[in-house]
Amino acid sequence: MARRRQLYEGKAKILFEGPEPGTLVQYFKDDATAGNGTKKGIITGKGVLNNRISEYLMLRLAEVGIPNHFVRRLNMREQLIREVEIIPLEIVVRNVAAGSICTRLGIPEGTRLPRSIIEYYYKNDALGDPIVAEEHITAFGWANTMDMDDIVAMTLRTNDFLTGLFLGVGITLVDFKLEFGRLWEGEDMRVVLADEISPDNCRLWDAKTNEKMDKDRFRRDLGRVEEAYQEVAKRLGILPEAGMRDMKGPELMQ
Ligand code: TMP
């Protein structure tokens, strides 16, 4: 792997300059954090699996007309993506109550919501990613009403498509978080799906037993974390080429 200039290091990924202008390389780490960085650990093989799972889901979403930043997977831990201007919002969709909605509103975990609920959070680590309303988003210029119309439409379609896809492999899509970015092509701009979709930012429960198959196993010290990520990939039919033998994948070279 050629040396590449590192542009940004996040909690679970590193972004490097891409081979051509307008592209980036997204590297998936095994590092796991929870509680806005207060809990730290390593989930061995997570980076390899999330790279593969996110590739698969982004490709499937592109097939049904949901534009996203994914170009192609480069190797076990890296994928080529289009460079976008990230909109500083976390878009959370909830189908079943779990996590923060339970503590915030006193709803028992596992309650099926009467309809899917979209929530917005302002991406700002120093503030702990506070929940915000569309009024805040447009008033402070993080996105305009046209961007929000596109974001909501793509989010609802993503939820419909992924709910069906996961149900087909015996998994309930409880909730998930999306991020969007502005993709510039000359003078033209369109909003596209960005970041990743993986068990790091989805709640996935076994459809029969409600067993958790996502990062909540790490957040809540439930054990069998690696196995849960592997099981998701296995059910989607996309375990890495080397199978479970080499979940470490190539080392990061900077
Ligand atoms: P929450 O219940 O903690 O608000 O999380 C809702 C969903 O969003 C859950 O699938 C985890 C995901 N999420 C992230 O991916 N990143 C975050 O920073 C947060 C707070 C949630």
Side-chain angles (χ1 to χ4, degrees), residues 90 92 94 98-100 121 175-177 201-203 219:
E90 300 198 336
V92 169
R94 300 181 190 275
S100 68
Y121 295 82
D175 61 30
F176 59 98
K177 185 261 301 186
N201 47 35
C202 299
R203 283 197 175 90
R219 294 187 189 101

Side-chain angles (χ1 to χ4, degrees), residues 1-253:
M1 186 173 75
R3 269 173 187 275
R4 283 195 275 260
R5 198 158 69 89
Q6 182 175 319
L7 301 177
Y8 169 81
E9 177 155 11
K11 295 182 196 115
K13 295 189 291 294
I14 305 175
L15 288 178
F16 295 95
E17 214 167 48
E20 300 126 40
T23 65
L24 300 175
V25 172
Q26 183 163 248
Y27 176 97
F28 287 75
K29 302 192 281 184
D30 284 350
D31 301 39
T33 63
N36 198 17
T38 51
K39 179 180 165 86
K40 287 194 174 76
I42 300 278
I43 303 174
T44 307
K46 173 174 82 83
V48 175
L49 290 166
N50 282 358
N51 185 24
R52 195 72 188 80
I53 293 169
S54 199
E55 170 197 24
Y56 176 74
L57 297 176
M58 290 292 189
L59 284 174
R60 298 295 308 269
L61 287 167
E63 277 168 21
V64 295
I66 298 165
N68 62 66
H69 71 166
F70 182 84
V71 180
R72 67 175 177 278
R73 187 164 57 86
L74 298 172
N75 55 49
M76 297 269 274
R77 286 186 184 268
E78 293 180 321
Q79 51 181 242
L80 187 69
I81 57 172
R82 307 280 299 271
E83 183 172 19
V84 299
E85 207 179 272
I86 287 285
I87 294 171
L89 297 174
E90 300 198 336
I91 316 293
V92 169
V93 186
R94 300 181 190 275
N95 300 309
V96 175
S100 68
I101 196 172
C102 298
T103 39
R104 194 180 323 113
L105 303 180
I107 298 168
E109 182 171 273
T111 309
R112 180 151 281 281
L113 299 169
R115 60 182 176 85
S116 302
I117 293 176
I118 302 186
E119 295 173 347
Y120 309 112
Y121 295 82
Y122 176 43
K123 247 171 90 74
N124 184 316
D125 280 343
L127 298 175
D129 298 343
I131 192 165
V132 292
E134 192 166 340
E135 290 284 287
H136 300 98
I137 295 169
T138 50
F140 296 118
W142 301 323
N144 64 30
T145 50
M146 267 171 13
D147 299 332
M148 291 311 290
D149 287 349
D150 289 347
I151 287 173
V152 169
M154 284 189 272
T155 298
L156 291 173
R157 291 198 57 217
T158 300
N159 185 40
D160 285 348
F161 181 76
L162 292 184
T163 296
L165 184 146
F166 278 115
L167 206 54
V169 297
I171 294 174
T172 304
L173 179 59
V174 169
D175 61 30
F176 59 98
K177 185 261 301 186
L178 298 177
E179 293 188 25
F180 290 88
R182 296 189 183 87
L183 178 63
W184 288 93
E185 284 162 333
E187 292 293 293
D188 295 329
M189 184 281 288
R190 61 192 173 121
V191 175
V192 302
L193 187 55
D195 193 46
E196 70 175 290
I197 309 178
S198 73
D200 267 13
N201 47 35
C202 299
R203 283 197 175 90
L204 303 169
W205 293 358
D206 181 273
K208 281 206 189 96
T209 64
N210 281 348
E211 194 185 354
K212 296 183 197 321
M213 303 171 66
D214 56 62
K215 198 171 147 193
D216 269 353
R217 299 202 73 83
F218 168 79
R219 294 187 189 101
R220 302 183 190 185
D221 295 319
L222 300 176
R224 298 181 61 78
V225 185
E226 285 86 358
E227 290 84 348
Y229 281 67
Q230 282 169 17
E231 180 63 21
V232 172
K234 197 170 148 196
R235 291 205 195 174
L236 291 171
I238 51 164
L239 269 182
E241 306 84 58
M244 309 243 199
R245 276 177 291 116
D246 181 19
M247 293 311 295
K248 236 171 130 239
E251 294 300 324
L252 172 62
M253 289 167 62

